[in-house]
Amino acid sequence: MILAKWYDFRTIANPVGELLDQLRDWGAPDWVPYVVSSVIAIVAILLWVILSVLAFIWIERRVVGLMQNRIGPNRVGPFGMLQPVADALKLLLKEPITPRAADKLIFLAGPIAIFIPTIVVFAAIPFGERMALADLNVGVLFLIAIGSINTLAVFMAGWSSNNKYALMGAMRTIAMLISYEIVQVLALLGPVLFVGSMNLGQIVGWQDEFNTWILFIQPLGLLFYIIAGAVEMNRSPMDIAEAESEIVAGYHTEYGGIKFGFFYQAEYLAGFAIAAIVVNLYLGGWTLWGLEEWVPSWLIFFAKLYGFFFLYIWMRGTLPRLRIDQLMTFAWKYLLPLALLNILVAGGEVLLWREAELSRNVALPTFAVVNFAIAGIAVVGWARVLGHARKDHRGGRATLTQEVGAVFYEGAANP
Amino acid sequence: MDDTGTVVAFWMLAVITVGSALGTAAVRNLIHAVVFLVISFTGVAGLYITLSADFLAVTQVLIYVGAISILVLFAIMLTPRGDRGNQEGFLRLPAVLLSGLLAATMIFVALDTDWNISDRAGFEDTATDIGEALLDKFVLPFEIASVLLLVAMLGAIVLVRPEGAVEEE
């Protein structure tokens, strides 16, 4: 029951559409509404992104503080809410230092090269009903392609700093991103197979039409995408590229002031982009089983997006950092075969659905049950095959202690 | 190629593409050359967009900007004394001559050919059409290409295996 009136803010497309019609009535040439609508969308997305990043810097620090049993920022403004603003001002006013031995041109281009792709990603994302800046046919592929530019940007930053820690961080990032990109692409292929389109709007529409979320028929895909996403946005437990305890700050060791600010913000932007992709591909986008008739669709989308991003904050507060060799083994030996299996199963199901002409009420619940079963068996079974969950696993003792072969005395309190 | 926007976009992209391609050949530092090459690749992707070939454009970014550039960077990093960059060598004159001849040939062909401009409308959904063409009409070349890539991958693994690795296990 969306009214096509300008004051109906349940889709922001309405007031904008009204404005564009008004422009056409005033006899503006064809390109004027086109340019105006793009400018409005770009400004809106930028405003949303900056406000969200500022808000989430505060939320993350407070939440992680709570999780780690400390207070977090609480001095600047009420509950420390103005802390991110103060930090942003500090970064802006700091002197931009370039190391003398650095490659000046690439050192300057690094932060720019990492910031532009992360912001361009939002162009293809539908934020609500009729609310996408660019409704691309190849939306999913576009997101993957733009995300892959990050690798080069990180390398530029790390190499140009002329610092061994920065270079190490850059090499780690490249190894990590190249490995997990494959897992990411395979995970995103599942929803695309079921929907039969790479258009993000159509993927949301499919989930709305079949009254389901792809989460239920692609649980393994979602799990793998969450993991690959954590790598893509360089977040704990996959943040070895800037592991503070090992290599200072990784690829942005030499960056200070607003140049560092760009890296910091790009990380959050990548996080929001991953969350937005998950929400659109797996969690039904801006639809919520009819609620979008009453509540603005973009509010539903943002609620899902922030909720999902909270999961990453939780992960960061909970899980310890992985070692580089563990991370690589995990990608190639564990995730990749299971992702291929997932694609095989998804392809078989789509074929079966189409060839046997099953009704959707039979097909979708069956696929959901089967896929959840396969996901559970595959995750546990493959770990067993690789020898990670041994039957003789002595619970309660740290793995390292077991491997070193520490002696435990009989009668001593079980550690 | 008739409305103003497309023409403006074409010339901007053409300047970026050709300019950075020239930069790739001219700069001394190899890493700078790679960065210029990446900008050139991105410009080509933009040209594909002006031709409504969105799938091709996105694939260009994914493969060339995301993957090939990293491959080139690895090649440079693994080359002994790769940091010497582009030095002047005795092949300078022949190289200039050869590339001049190549450029002259290509310009001549481009001007001389009677280009056959198709009058069919653009594809509505490029990705679907490409997918159907690859798995229907051109399925044999597609499969041959994938087997070739698999063979190359296996070959790479065999090449980097240390001698006697099988016996050790």
Side-chain angles (χ1 to χ4, degrees):
Chain A
M1 265 194 319
I2 301 289
L3 304 171
K5 296 277 166 56
W6 66 269
Y7 50 81
D8 187 355
F9 270 85
R10 282 176 296 185
T11 76
I12 292 186
N14 280 336
V16 176
E18 194 82 3
L19 177 72
L20 297 183
D21 285 345
Q22 212 38 260
L23 279 175
R24 254 182 231 110
D25 288 348
W26 291 336
D30 279 346
W31 56 271
V32 171
Y34 185 74
V35 170
V36 167
S37 64
S38 305
V39 168
I40 290 175
I42 291 167
V43 169
I45 289 174
L46 279 177
L47 268 180
W48 168 73
V49 154
I50 289 167
L51 288 177
S52 297
V53 168
L54 285 180
F56 260 87
I57 289 174
W58 178 74
I59 292 171
E60 170 149 22
R61 290 180 67 180
R62 290 292 289 200
V63 167
V64 172
L66 277 175
M67 286 174 179
Q68 295 171 344
N69 215 356
R70 53 189 175 82
I71 296 169
N74 68 341
R75 293 282 155 163
V76 192
F79 304 107
M81 277 167 94
L82 295 179
Q83 185 68 46
V85 181
D87 284 347
L89 278 176
K90 182 194 77 180
L91 286 180
L92 276 170
L93 296 175
K94 260 190 172 176
E95 182 194 359
I97 298 171
T98 309
R100 195 180 299 147
D103 191 314
K104 306 255 171 349
L105 188 73
I106 297 192
F107 191 77
L108 186 69
I112 301 169
I114 204 162
F115 192 72
I116 292 176
T118 40
I119 200 108
V120 164
V121 164
F122 290 100
I125 288 169
F127 287 89
E129 204 176 356
R130 293 196 288 144
M131 275 172 63
L133 176 53
D135 190 21
L136 293 175
N137 258 334
V138 286
V140 176
L141 197 62
F142 172 81
L143 298 174
I144 297 169
I146 299 294
S148 73
I149 301 178
N150 270 357
T151 327
L152 186 70
V154 167
F155 178 83
M156 281 162 70
W159 179 82
S160 68
S161 301
N162 211 347
N163 173 324
K164 59 185 167 194
Y165 294 121
L167 189 59
M168 254 178 179
M171 294 318 267
R172 282 182 177 192
T173 313
I174 291 177
M176 214 162 71
L177 284 176
I178 287 179
S179 313
Y180 279 86
E181 211 170 15
I182 301 166
V183 177
Q184 184 193 8
V185 171
L186 287 175
L188 291 183
L189 209 55
V192 172
L193 265 177
F194 270 99
V195 178
S197 167
M198 286 196 282
N199 185 321
L200 286 162
Q202 279 183 26
I203 291 175
V204 175
W206 187 90
Q207 297 177 71
D208 193 24
E209 190 196 328
F210 287 90
N211 215 1
T212 180
W213 288 356
I214 294 181
L215 154 69
F216 297 120
I217 41 178
Q218 278 291 307
L220 211 54
L222 177 60
L223 184 68
F224 288 176
Y225 190 71
I226 292 173
I227 296 169
V231 172
E232 175 100 2
M233 66 173 107
N234 235 329
R235 226 160 209 291
S236 236
M238 278 78 168
D239 64 342
I240 51 161
E242 44 184 283
E244 298 93 341
S245 50
E246 302 162 25
I247 47 171
V248 192
Y251 57 89
H252 55 64
T253 303
E254 295 288 355
Y255 283 91
I258 194 59
K259 286 185 197 160
F260 166 73
F262 272 121
F263 285 106
Y264 194 61
Q265 219 179 5
E267 240 163 71
Y268 270 94
L269 291 185
F272 288 136
I274 301 283
I277 294 166
V278 167
V279 168
N280 273 319
L281 258 69
Y282 293 98
L283 304 180
W286 41 265
T287 63
L288 195 73
W289 296 308
L291 192 70
E292 69 271 10
E293 301 263 313
W294 307 97
V295 180
S297 53
W298 42 278
L299 271 185
I300 296 176
F301 179 82
F302 287 160
K304 285 180 179 175
L305 192 152
Y306 293 144
F308 188 80
F309 191 70
F310 186 81
L311 185 71
Y312 277 119
I313 297 181
W314 199 352
M315 264 167 75
R316 189 189 144 180
T318 316
L319 298 174
R321 184 180 293 136
L322 286 160
R323 244 171 27 215
I324 178 97
D325 59 320
Q326 292 172 334
L327 209 58
M328 291 293 115
T329 317
F330 188 52
W332 292 103
K333 288 191 182 165
Y334 190 80
L335 293 180
L336 190 61
L338 291 192
L340 286 171
L341 174 79
N342 185 41
I343 290 304
L344 190 70
V345 171
E349 278 168 357
V350 171
L351 193 69
L352 187 73
W353 191 1
R354 201 176 294 163
E355 296 299 317
E357 287 170 6
L358 301 171
S359 92
R360 65 167 77 161
N361 292 330
V362 179
L364 285 174
T366 321
F367 291 165
V369 173
V370 168
N371 283 352
F372 264 98
I374 288 177
I377 294 169
V379 165
V380 178
W382 192 237
R384 282 273 164 86
V385 169
L386 292 181
H388 287 297
R390 289 187 295 273
K391 272 183 196 158
D392 58 342
H393 180 74
R394 289 166 291 180
R397 285 176 199 170
T399 321
L400 191 64
T401 329
Q402 287 177 31
E403 282 176 6
V404 170
V407 182
F408 286 91
Y409 295 103
E410 288 296 324
N414 197 14
Chain B
M1 281 291 286
D2 21 8
D3 54 317
T4 334
T6 319
V7 174
V8 171
F10 171 77
W11 282 108
M12 277 164 69
L13 289 166
V15 168
I16 291 172
T17 311
V18 176
S20 47
L22 283 176
T24 310
V27 292
R28 285 288 156 95
N29 189 322
L30 283 178
I31 305 274
H32 288 190
V34 173
V35 173
F36 273 120
L37 191 66
V38 165
I39 298 171
S40 183
F41 285 151
T42 319
V44 173
L47 287 176
Y48 286 144
I49 291 177
T50 62
L51 297 170
S52 312
D54 46 3
F55 182 81
L56 203 57
V58 172
T59 318
Q60 165 90 7
V61 172
L62 184 66
I63 305 290
Y64 282 89
V65 179
I68 301 279
S69 64
I70 299 295
L71 196 70
V72 176
L73 280 177
F74 267 110
I76 292 172
M77 304 285 285
L78 293 174
T79 308
R81 286 185 285 177
D83 54 342
R84 284 193 310 182
N86 282 333
Q87 297 284 326
E88 286 185 22
F90 63 95
L91 286 174
R92 197 170 191 207
L93 197 68
V96 169
L97 219 76
L98 192 65
S99 39
L101 281 175
L102 189 68
T105 316
M106 282 169 78
I107 289 169
F108 172 73
V109 170
L111 292 177
D112 193 53
T113 310
D114 183 20
W115 293 103
N116 190 8
I117 296 167
S118 163
D119 54 354
R120 78 185 293 287
F123 287 97
E124 191 72 7
D125 195 359
T126 45
T128 318
D129 288 337
I130 290 174
E132 271 164 13
L134 276 182
L135 288 180
D136 190 16
K137 198 173 166 190
F138 300 106
V139 67
L140 193 63
F142 179 73
E143 291 296 333
I144 290 173
S146 47
V147 169
L148 187 69
L149 286 175
L150 186 68
V151 168
M153 206 161 72
L154 288 176
I157 293 172
V158 169
L159 277 179
V160 298
R161 266 177 92 91
E163 291 283 334
V166 185
E167 285 80 18
E168 274 172 30
E169 289 167 7

